Amino acid sequence: MWIFAILIGIYGSFVTAQQNPTITFITKEIVADLGGTIDLKCAVQFAKDFPVMWMRRGYADSTDTPLSFRGSRIVPDNRYSVRYDETSMTFVLQIQDLQETDQGVYQCQIPINNVNKITAEVPVHIRRPPVISDDSTRDLIIGRGEDVGLFCNATGFPHPKISWRRQGNAALPTGGAVYHGTDLKIFDIQKEHRGTYICTADNAVGQGDRRNINIRVEFSPIVRVPRDRVGQALFYERELECIVEAFPPPQVEWVFEGRKIVSDQYYDVSTFSVVNEVTEMKLRVKNIQKKHYGIYQCVAHNKLGSATGKVDLYATQFPMDTGRKAQALGLSGNNAAPGTFLSTFPIQLTSYTILLLTLAII
């Protein structure tokens, strides 16, 4: 920069008595695409004996960067070039293969002396596709009943527009399927509000950007019993079922007459985790004895609380269709529709026949 100061001082010493130069035209604000080419024009008058320069304005405390001096490029970047049209007295700064870093303010400058100068500026914007900012909200775990704010911002030019929706286009807690704005507020959040929220940034440049934010809501267990009374005859098997919703995931167990049930010769205990914090509990009672009839409890608990469901296993005179044993006895087909009593037998039910059937089952 000291070289330019010396040159400006030399020029200033020779032109102090002449008419001050002016800038008669400057290119207006430019918006260009990445990889493109732009021409910045600066037309001057009475500047024959003055140095005309193109400068790249610095940001904040950084200094300006000289790009040209009169009609010569001085920046060491071959993407820049300078030409002078004597007819129109116009200095043209051309930038090829535009990069994101080329965005900024360019200044045409005519120094009068070490203190005074005449300037005109051209803002240059580079179209850039949206990129969602790192400070945007990521996955959250929140307690039921709390308020939560989701934030999403993005860089790019033009400035991207932000919109929100839920996965599957479910209704937002704010109402409607789409919300526009950087901040999405959810008040008194409930378990129905859990799921994936999608932030989309778009500015018509490229494909846009998006971020999926998974919201998990903590709540105490809720137990649902599909069938609270289930019947079956002696020596057959029957399945009991409970559906549990909870987060964090609950501990679950079956209880009968105050005793926790584990898998053994009479019981098969199974648990399946499905979507949306749902747990499916199943208990298969095998080779039912009289002692197995009664009220079974499915119990679920996590750090927020507990819940209990009840299933009554009661005795029936005839066996319910359980598929496997019905087929083994030749009682399937038209004689035994699923979910009905096996009350129509293909053989005459004498006491002796029933005894033989019982022995075959066991």
Side-chain angles (χ1 to χ4, degrees), residues 19-91:
Q19 183 176 358
N20 284 341
T22 60
I23 295 176
T24 59
F25 173 82
I26 190 73
T27 301
K28 297 188 180 299
E29 182 177 19
I30 290 179
V31 178
D33 295 318
L34 283 170
T37 299
I38 58 174
D39 287 337
L40 309 184
K41 297 180 180 180
C42 178
V44 299
Q45 192 174 23
F46 309 123
K48 180 179 180 181
D49 298 319
F50 291 86
V52 179
M53 306 170 60
W54 275 105
M55 308 283 289
R56 168 76 181 272
R57 296 300 308 274
Y59 293 98
D61 296 332
S62 61
T63 58
D64 297 347
T65 302
L67 303 175
S68 70
F69 189 82
R70 283 204 172 269
S72 301
R73 172 176 63 88
I74 58 176
V75 63
D77 188 336
N78 292 330
R79 296 183 303 116
Y80 290 76
S81 62
V82 181
R83 65 180 184 272
Y84 174 64
D85 183 352
E86 291 187 2
T87 303
S88 61
M89 292 182 289
T90 300
F91 291 84

Side-chain angles (χ1 to χ4, degrees), residues 48-153:
K48 180 179 180 181
D49 298 319
F50 291 86
V52 179
M53 306 170 60
W54 275 105
M55 308 283 289
R56 168 76 181 272
R57 296 300 308 274
Y59 293 98
D61 296 332
S62 61
T63 58
D64 297 347
T65 302
L67 303 175
S68 70
F69 189 82
R70 283 204 172 269
S72 301
R73 172 176 63 88
I74 58 176
V75 63
D77 188 336
N78 292 330
R79 296 183 303 116
Y80 290 76
S81 62
V82 181
R83 65 180 184 272
Y84 174 64
D85 183 352
E86 291 187 2
T87 303
S88 61
M89 292 182 289
T90 300
F91 291 84
V92 181
L93 174 66
Q94 185 178 86
I95 309 174
Q96 299 178 335
D97 189 22
L98 287 168
Q99 308 297 317
E100 287 188 21
T101 54
D102 293 323
Q103 179 165 299
V105 176
Y106 292 79
Q107 185 181 83
C108 179
Q109 182 181 117
I110 307 176
I112 304 301
N113 50 49
N114 288 335
V115 177
N116 300 316
K117 59 186 176 181
I118 298 171
T119 63
E121 295 181 341
V122 183
V124 174
H125 303 281
I126 308 300
R127 292 188 184 93
R128 291 168 290 134
V131 177
I132 291 178
S133 306
D134 289 337
D135 60 350
S136 299
T137 302
R138 297 186 181 273
D139 294 351
L140 288 176
I141 296 177
I142 195 80
R144 186 175 64 175
E146 296 183 22
D147 299 336
V148 61
L150 307 183
F151 172 75
C152 186
N153 197 15

Side-chain angles (χ1 to χ4, degrees), residues 28 50 109 297 319 325 342 347:
K28 297 188 180 299
F50 291 86
Q109 182 181 117
Q297 295 180 314
K325 288 208 170 183
L342 294 179
I347 56 177

Side-chain angles (χ1 to χ4, degrees), residues 169-303:
N169 291 320
L172 291 164
T174 54
V178 179
Y179 176 83
H180 298 282
T182 57
D183 295 272
L184 177 64
K185 303 289 187 181
I186 305 175
F187 300 99
D188 188 28
I189 195 167
Q190 300 298 313
K191 67 181 182 66
E192 292 77 17
H193 300 149
R194 69 191 187 272
T196 300
Y197 290 73
I198 302 171
C199 163
T200 302
D202 184 60
N203 66 353
V205 180
Q207 299 299 315
D209 197 11
R210 58 181 282 173
R211 172 175 291 182
N212 292 354
I213 302 169
N214 188 32
I215 305 299
R216 309 188 77 177
V217 179
E218 293 185 326
F219 60 99
S220 59
I222 300 171
V223 176
R224 181 171 59 88
V225 181
R227 297 183 62 186
D228 59 1
R229 297 192 76 243
V230 177
Q232 186 57 288
L234 281 169
F235 312 122
Y236 278 75
E237 63 181 34
R238 198 62 172 165
E239 188 173 78
L240 318 182
E241 182 181 14
C242 287
I243 307 297
V244 180
E245 285 187 84
F247 185 77
Q251 294 181 338
V252 296
E253 61 185 11
W254 286 95
V255 176
F256 181 62
E257 295 182 346
R259 178 179 61 88
K260 177 181 176 180
I261 298 176
V262 296
S263 296
D264 59 17
Q265 60 179 329
Y266 290 112
Y267 297 109
D268 276 337
V269 179
S270 56
T271 302
F272 306 93
S273 295
V274 291
V275 296
N276 289 333
E277 286 83 43
V278 175
T279 301
E280 188 176 282
M281 303 173 58
K282 290 188 177 183
L283 174 66
R284 181 173 294 276
V285 188
K286 303 177 291 184
N287 192 19
I288 295 174
Q289 309 294 309
K290 286 184 178 181
K291 64 181 180 179
H292 295 142
Y293 293 118
I295 303 296
Y296 288 79
Q297 295 180 314
C298 49
V299 181
H301 59 90
N302 63 12
K303 68 178 184 179

